Amino acid sequence: MNTQTYTRRYDLDWLRVIAFGLLIFYHVGMYYVTWGWHVKSPYESSFLEPAMMLLNPWRLPLLFVISGIAVRFAADKMPSGPFAWARFKRLMVPLLFGSFFIVPPQTYYELLADEAINPGYWDFYKLYVDFGRHWEMATPTYNHLWYVMYVLIYTMMAVPLLLVLRRVKWPELVGRLFASPLVLLLPVLPFILYRFTLDTQYPETHDFMKDWGAHARYGSWFLLGLLAAKSAGFWRGIKAYWRHALGLAVISGAILTPVWLGWDSLTQEGALMQAARALRVAYMWWVIAALFGAAQATLNRPSKTLTYLTEAVFPYYILHQTVIIMIGVALKPYLVGAVPEFLMVAIGTALVCAVLHEYVIRRIGFLRPLFGLKADNSQRAKVSGVQA
């Protein structure tokens, strides 16, 4: 077991909270944009799509990188066997609970909207949990909790690698490369390769048995987090060049936005389309690198707010999509107007998650593990870096 001392990375805790917060409001946006989702608002439009296009490339990669970093720090605190079992329980319990008790209303309202079932939640639920194939979608399902499933898979697969990483440091040459401007380029290269190979053959489905393109991308982001977590060269490079990354992100975002808005008019295999696909991958990393650097420079300090939100964010994540859909469906018949409805869905989602976490989940011992929290409220997790 590695007994080295380390310092908590509050900046990464903050980034994890921010990333999950953006994910929640991204899903609020999905209720309104013209892209496919479980249910849709009567005020569906393309108004929010430019902002969501800028957010979409990097919101999940950021979470997977941070999860990899968190796993690396947490794994160095205990032997591999206990670590693997602790992580398995911490992720599998809320995944199963969520799939059977939190997610079902999402499926119910989606099937109602598609006129695939008649009203009556209990009749639907009995079919939902019997593992039969009653509809096009397989049930029970994990919907937005696919992220938890994938992090669980990658964590279990990483256990043997973690044994190696405890004993073997990155070669000095690798550290020097990442401490140079190449930190803005090297992490991009495998993802450009994936974009023009696996992604074309395996579109993302969130079916973990067949999602090879997504596993390559998200698994590689997770691996980058594992490798970079304790690399002094990597963090020196981020510290030195994050402003360059920010500039590149702003420029590439400005270039990509009009291209994305006119995407349907482009030739699918044309040079402009291929260049935009490659630039989107680079934009993804430049935003993440800029966020890492900005957080390192401005957010690496403790606070009571951060301590509270670090615990709260996972229950919020588990609850949020069901809350969005239930509030949206409840408001739909009243046609209150696009802006009032959006505000009520967004603010209502935040308030419901906050109230359930503060007054129910965190205060009732047996509920805490169901939402990814330690059973004993008096023993908060003390890890270096963020929690996965």
Side-chain angles (χ1 to χ4, degrees), residues 147-273:
Y147 162 79
V148 181
M149 170 66 85
Y150 283 31
V151 169
L152 174 61
I153 292 169
Y154 303 155
T155 301
M156 297 301 103
M157 292 177 64
V159 171
L161 176 60
L162 290 167
L163 291 171
V164 177
L165 292 177
R166 288 176 180 177
R167 296 168 173 81
V168 178
K169 294 182 178 180
W170 282 32
E172 186 177 346
L173 175 61
V174 175
R176 288 204 301 268
L177 289 174
F178 276 93
S180 75
L182 289 176
V183 74
L184 303 180
L185 177 63
L186 291 178
V188 173
L189 299 180
F191 298 98
I192 291 179
L193 176 64
Y194 299 152
R195 181 62 189 87
F196 294 102
T197 54
L198 285 171
D199 282 357
T200 62
Q201 299 298 315
Y202 300 100
E204 189 166 331
T205 65
H206 301 158
D207 178 352
F208 74 93
M209 297 293 290
K210 303 174 183 177
D211 211 6
W212 301 114
H215 283 317
R217 284 182 283 107
Y218 296 133
S220 294
W221 287 118
F222 185 87
L223 178 62
L224 176 63
L226 287 177
L227 297 175
K230 297 189 175 183
S231 168
F234 175 84
W235 293 109
R236 283 200 306 273
I238 291 294
K239 183 177 180 179
Y241 299 106
W242 72 267
R243 291 178 179 81
H244 300 78
L246 177 60
L248 290 168
V250 171
I251 293 169
S252 56
I255 293 170
L256 285 168
T257 296
V259 174
W260 286 331
L261 294 176
W263 197 254
D264 292 339
S265 65
L266 299 179
T267 303
Q268 287 299 306
E269 301 305 323
L272 180 58
M273 177 72 82

Side-chain angles (χ1 to χ4, degrees), residues 37-313:
W37 204 55
H38 306 285
V39 294
K40 304 301 294 185
S41 168
Y43 304 105
E44 180 179 346
S45 79
S46 61
F47 179 75
L48 294 175
E49 289 175 8
M52 292 180 67
M53 287 174 180
L54 289 169
L55 178 61
N56 187 55
W58 54 267
R59 60 190 177 88
L60 287 168
L62 176 62
L63 279 173
F64 278 103
V65 176
I66 293 175
S67 292
I69 293 170
V71 165
R72 177 67 188 282
F73 279 123
D76 283 352
K77 294 178 63 185
M78 64 181 75
S80 296
F83 166 77
W85 177 237
R87 286 282 150 161
F88 180 83
K89 289 189 297 181
R90 186 155 190 189
L91 295 174
M92 181 56 81
V93 169
L95 178 62
L96 291 174
F97 174 74
S99 297
F100 281 91
F101 296 102
I102 303 298
V103 168
Q106 301 177 29
T107 306
Y108 174 69
Y109 286 115
E110 181 176 356
L111 292 171
L112 273 183
D114 293 341
E115 299 182 342
I117 59 173
N118 295 317
Y121 187 78
W122 178 240
D123 291 335
F124 152 79
Y125 189 76
K126 287 186 291 186
L127 296 176
Y128 176 91
V129 298
D130 72 1
F131 291 90
R133 191 65 181 259
H134 304 287
W135 311 289
E136 287 188 11
M137 65 184 72
T139 57
T141 183
Y142 41 66
N143 277 13
H144 68 293
L145 301 181
W146 69 268
Y147 162 79
V148 181
M149 170 66 85
Y150 283 31
V151 169
L152 174 61
I153 292 169
Y154 303 155
T155 301
M156 297 301 103
M157 292 177 64
V159 171
L161 176 60
L162 290 167
L163 291 171
V164 177
L165 292 177
R166 288 176 180 177
R167 296 168 173 81
V168 178
K169 294 182 178 180
W170 282 32
E172 186 177 346
L173 175 61
V174 175
R176 288 204 301 268
L177 289 174
F178 276 93
S180 75
L182 289 176
V183 74
L184 303 180
L185 177 63
L186 291 178
V188 173
L189 299 180
F191 298 98
I192 291 179
L193 176 64
Y194 299 152
R195 181 62 189 87
F196 294 102
T197 54
L198 285 171
D199 282 357
T200 62
Q201 299 298 315
Y202 300 100
E204 189 166 331
T205 65
H206 301 158
D207 178 352
F208 74 93
M209 297 293 290
K210 303 174 183 177
D211 211 6
W212 301 114
H215 283 317
R217 284 182 283 107
Y218 296 133
S220 294
W221 287 118
F222 185 87
L223 178 62
L224 176 63
L226 287 177
L227 297 175
K230 297 189 175 183
S231 168
F234 175 84
W235 293 109
R236 283 200 306 273
I238 291 294
K239 183 177 180 179
Y241 299 106
W242 72 267
R243 291 178 179 81
H244 300 78
L246 177 60
L248 290 168
V250 171
I251 293 169
S252 56
I255 293 170
L256 285 168
T257 296
V259 174
W260 286 331
L261 294 176
W263 197 254
D264 292 339
S265 65
L266 299 179
T267 303
Q268 287 299 306
E269 301 305 323
L272 180 58
M273 177 72 82
Q274 305 309 320
R277 286 169 173 160
L279 183 59
R280 182 182 186 275
V281 176
Y283 165 78
M284 184 190 318
W285 171 241
W286 291 333
V287 172
I288 293 172
L291 289 171
F292 277 155
Q296 193 176 14
T298 61
L299 296 177
N300 196 13
R301 61 177 67 90
S303 77
K304 292 181 179 179
T305 300
L306 177 59
T307 300
Y308 182 84
L309 291 176
T310 297
E311 179 190 66
V313 71

Side-chain angles (χ1 to χ4, degrees), residues 10-32:
Y10 297 102
D11 54 326
L12 299 178
D13 285 326
W14 271 117
L15 276 184
R16 177 177 177 269
V17 169
I18 291 167
F20 270 117
L22 289 172
L23 179 64
I24 290 170
F25 284 99
Y26 183 88
H27 285 155
V28 173
M30 286 298 295
Y31 184 54
Y32 291 94

